[in-house]
């Protein structure tokens, strides 16, 4: 018998929900978050997607068109949130953005700031047009900048990424992003450099604004603080350093019922590159596909058999990583939730 | 068994196994003094805590306050400056006693 297995604690998320008599059911589907590629010009240390320049997964044209059909059919889905990888490296990205904007949807792009300069790592295609394209389409840009100083940013995202990110923000500012009078929104994302909880969002945003303005003359709208999710690349790093259990205990001990009430899976549906549906991008990376129906007639759902009412009445799939979204002030793709 | 184990920090509250009310009072005071924004921000308090942790060379406190500094948004420059303040004060406290050395020397006619 492997006795080591018996000593590993189980961080069961439902225990916390039961303890606080919480039932987290879906509230709405306001956002369709679509992960359109795992290809990225970067290979960040904490990436929960394990994205890198070597990945080949891409959403095909048929699936993009089906996502657009769903957006057109459901006025309550107000937001398209495009993520990856670097979503701009999907061949249908530009059309996806244009057509969703033509439908009147708010379009958010999770843009890593460096792809503008690096281009497509597999084809060499230039992406220098992106800032102008974003501004023309009035997409909301949301970009990771793990810290306002070089050391922590490069430690997490690779050597030279901070400088390139600063240049990327400068270009976006030149096209009007981050300037209140333009209405063009640039939000930045902070995540801790290691197994720590994020600092308070408001005070860190004030620091970012002061430092980026004073040192580089840069502007942005909001800072979102996000907790590092203990899955894939980050989990492996924790296990290598022997810190996985300690990090999980930190998340479990910091469980905040108010943050749990605001978890993003209650108002979002995540679509994989192959059209499969998930409760969030993290569940997507763990292959925890949305299942609807009752005994005997349960089915995994895809964008091709999208049924709004069934999705709204589904049971959200939880696991230990969900403690990442409910710790402290909470964490979501839009930052703190409590 | 080692005298210091990082996991022992998690057993801190167990000291309250006897005379619990005294530990409860301590934790209440400790939380109010270190864990909230007041006239000093929680980050400033964390940096002071980090400096004292180094001055007293308490491994539990160095672990806890390094993490608390990072979780309140402090950066490596601020954290390093904080421990230099502790180091400078420690050096100053040693050196200022040189006055006593000189007083004794003077008393004995050696200065």
């Amino acid at each position: 018998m492997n006795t080591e297995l018996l000593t590993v604690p189980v961080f069961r998320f439902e225990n916390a929900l039961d303890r606080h008599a919480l039932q987290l059911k879906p509230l709405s589907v306001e956002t369709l978050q679509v992960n359109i590629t795992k290809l990225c010009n970067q290979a960040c240390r904490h990436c929960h997607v394990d994205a890198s320049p070597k990945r080949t997964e891409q959403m095909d044209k048929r699936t993009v068109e089906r996502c657009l059909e769903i957006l057109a059919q459901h006025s309550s889905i107000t937001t398209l949130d495009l993520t990856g990888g670097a979503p701009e490296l999907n061949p249908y990205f530009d059309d996806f953005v244009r057509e969703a904007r033509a439908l009147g949807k708010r379009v958010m792009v999770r843009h890593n700031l460096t792809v503008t300069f690096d281009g497509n790592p597999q084809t060499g295609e230039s992406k220098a047009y992106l800032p102008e394209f974003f501004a023309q389409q009035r997409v909301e840009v949301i970009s990771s900048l793990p810290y306002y100083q070089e050391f922590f940013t490069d430690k997490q995202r690779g050597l030279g990424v901070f400088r390139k990110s600063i240049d990327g923000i400068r270009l976006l500012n030149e096209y009007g992003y981050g300037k209140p009078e333009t209405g063009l929104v640039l939000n930045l994302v902070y995540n801790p450099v290691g197994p720590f909880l994020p600092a308070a969002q408001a005070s860190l945003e004030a620091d970012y604004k002061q430092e980026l303005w004073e040192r580089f003359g840069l502007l942005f709208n909001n800072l979102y603080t996000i907790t590092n999710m203990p899955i894939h690349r980050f989990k492996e790093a924790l296990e290598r350093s022997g810190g996985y259990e300690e990090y999980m205990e930190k998340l479990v001990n910091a469980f905040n019922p108010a943050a749990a009430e605001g978890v993003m899976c209650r108002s979002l549906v995540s679509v994989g590159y192959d059209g499969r549906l998930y409760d969030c991008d993290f569940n997507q990376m763990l292959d925890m596909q949305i299942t609807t129906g009752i005994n005997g007639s349960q089915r995994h759902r895809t964008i091709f058999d999208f049924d709004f009412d069934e999705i709204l009445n589904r049971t959200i799939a939880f696991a230990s990583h969900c403690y990442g979204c409910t710790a402290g002030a909470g964490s979501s793709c839009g930052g703190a939730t409590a | 068994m080692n005298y210091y184990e990082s996991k022992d920090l998690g057993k801190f509250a167990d000291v309250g196994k006897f005379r619990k009310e005294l530990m409860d009072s301590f934790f209440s005071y400790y939380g109010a003094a270190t864990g909230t924004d007041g006239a000093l921000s929680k980050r400033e308090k964390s940096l002071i805590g980090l400096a004292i942790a180094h001055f007293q060379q308490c491994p539990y406190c160095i672990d806890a306050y390094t993490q608390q500094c990072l979780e309140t948004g402090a950066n490596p420059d601020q954290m390093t400056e904080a421990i230099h303040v502790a180091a400078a004060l420690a050096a100053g406290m040693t050196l200022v006693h040189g006055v006593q050395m000189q007083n004794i020397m003077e008393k004995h006619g050696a200065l």
Side-chain angles (χ1 to χ4, degrees):
Chain A
M1 182 187 290
N2 187 342
T3 53
E4 194 180 320
L5 281 176
L6 295 176
T7 62
V8 175
V10 176
F11 302 101
R12 194 174 166 271
F13 186 70
E14 287 82 352
N15 290 354
L17 296 182
D18 292 347
R19 202 165 49 246
H20 294 274
L22 284 171
Q23 286 194 321
L24 300 182
K25 294 179 182 300
L27 297 170
S28 60
V29 185
E30 291 169 14
T31 300
L32 200 65
Q33 186 176 62
V34 188
N35 194 315
I36 56 177
T37 180
K38 291 188 179 179
L39 174 62
C40 188
N41 56 309
Q42 294 182 184
C44 299
R45 194 171 134 191
H46 295 169
C47 181
H48 69 274
V49 182
D50 290 345
S52 82
K54 293 179 180 168
R55 299 298 292 257
T56 55
E57 297 88 335
Q58 294 280 13
M59 182 170 279
D60 60 20
K61 193 177 179 189
R62 176 174 158 262
T63 313
V64 168
E65 284 171 351
R66 178 62 183 154
C67 289
L68 286 163
E69 267 177 33
I70 299 299
L71 288 170
Q73 287 166 7
H74 300 281
S75 59
S76 59
I77 307 177
T78 57
T79 302
L80 172 66
D81 181 346
L82 291 175
T83 188
E88 304 90 335
L89 296 177
N90 179 287
Y92 309 105
F93 170 80
D94 294 4
D95 291 339
F96 203 167
V97 170
R98 273 192 208 100
E99 291 181 38
R101 288 296 295 145
L103 290 169
K105 303 294 179 182
R106 169 186 176 219
V107 175
M108 297 166 66
V109 174
R110 296 187 184 267
H111 168 63
N112 68 15
L113 295 168
T114 60
V115 71
T116 305
F117 307 105
D118 291 349
N120 187 316
Q122 292 179 356
T123 64
E125 179 197 2
S126 170
K127 290 289 169 185
Y129 68 94
L130 283 173
E132 187 178 5
F133 175 73
F134 289 153
Q136 281 169 353
Q137 294 299 320
R138 299 191 71 77
V139 304
E140 192 173 312
V141 176
I142 179 163
S143 298
S144 186
L145 187 70
Y147 208 64
Y148 55 76
Q149 290 182 326
E150 192 162 4
F151 179 77
F152 278 163
T153 299
D154 284 5
K155 178 99 185 146
Q156 193 175 128
R157 291 174 79 77
L159 202 63
V161 167
F162 180 78
R163 289 275 152 195
K164 223 182 269 184
S165 300
I166 292 299
D167 290 343
I169 296 172
R170 185 167 289 121
L171 262 180
L172 289 165
N173 281 175
E174 283 171 15
Y175 281 94
Y177 273 96
K179 297 179 178 174
E181 67 274 15
T182 64
L184 290 170
V185 175
L186 168 62
N187 293 327
L188 298 181
V189 175
Y190 159 91
N191 64 295
V193 73
F196 317 113
L197 294 178
Q201 189 164 277
S203 71
L204 205 54
E205 181 182 287
D207 291 341
Y208 265 65
K209 286 199 166 168
Q210 183 181 333
E211 292 283 330
L212 292 180
W213 175 252
E214 287 180 0
R215 293 174 60 211
F216 305 105
L218 299 179
L219 294 167
F220 69 96
N221 296 90
N222 304 297
L223 181 76
Y224 295 151
T225 55
I226 290 185
T227 302
N228 288 320
M229 208 44 69
I231 63 172
H232 287 318
R233 211 173 269 165
F234 184 58
K235 183 180 180 185
E236 285 159 19
L238 286 172
E239 285 173 338
R240 274 197 304 276
S241 68
Y244 174 69
E245 281 179 38
E246 194 179 336
Y247 185 60
M248 285 305 302
E249 280 165 10
K250 184 188 282 272
L251 297 180
V252 171
N253 291 335
F255 179 84
N256 177 354
E261 297 268 12
V263 286
M264 61 186 174
C265 50
R266 304 186 79 189
S267 58
L268 169 151
V269 165
S270 161
V271 188
Y273 76 94
D274 54 3
R276 293 178 202 221
L277 300 181
Y278 305 86
D279 298 304
C280 71
D281 204 49
F282 304 117
N283 280 13
Q284 181 180 146
M285 297 313 141
L286 294 170
D287 283 330
M288 294 167 59
Q289 201 175 343
I290 286 179
T291 305
T292 61
I294 48 170
N295 298 339
S297 64
Q298 287 177 310
R299 280 195 303 163
H300 288 322
R301 286 289 170 182
T302 76
I303 196 74
F304 296 100
D305 56 12
F306 186 94
D307 180 318
F308 192 89
D309 292 333
E310 271 199 358
I311 293 291
L312 202 53
N313 291 309
R314 75 193 188 277
T315 301
I316 296 171
F318 296 115
S320 60
H321 64 284
C322 301
Y323 279 113
C325 286
T326 57
S331 180
S332 75
C333 290
T337 56
Chain B
M1 178 183 137
N2 296 315
Y3 284 119
Y4 285 117
E5 294 281 359
S6 60
K7 286 202 163 188
D8 284 349
L9 185 55
K11 299 179 189 167
F12 191 6
D14 295 352
V15 178
K17 187 170 179 182
F18 306 101
R19 297 305 306 272
K20 184 171 176 296
E21 75 283 2
L22 295 176
M23 258 338 244
D24 288 346
S25 296
F26 163 74
F27 279 122
S28 169
Y29 166 66
Y30 186 89
T34 68
T36 54
D37 285 320
L40 293 176
S41 68
K42 197 174 164 189
R43 183 189 307 169
E44 288 163 336
K45 291 176 182 179
S46 301
L47 288 164
I48 293 170
L50 183 71
I52 294 171
H54 280 75
F55 182 76
Q56 292 285 17
Q57 296 175 8
C58 169
Y60 300 127
C61 301
I62 292 172
D63 184 350
Y65 277 86
T66 299
Q67 295 196 47
Q68 192 162 310
C69 282
L70 292 167
E71 291 184 351
T72 52
N75 63 50
D77 291 335
Q78 293 166 336
M79 293 162 69
T80 307
E81 279 188 19
I83 66 169
H84 275 292
V85 171
L89 259 81
M93 286 178 213
T94 303
L95 289 171
V96 76
H97 284 79
V99 175
Q100 289 196 11
M101 173 188 77
Q102 291 184 355
N103 287 345
I104 303 292
M105 288 171 75
E106 208 168 34
K107 182 180 168 186
H108 295 291
L111 192 68

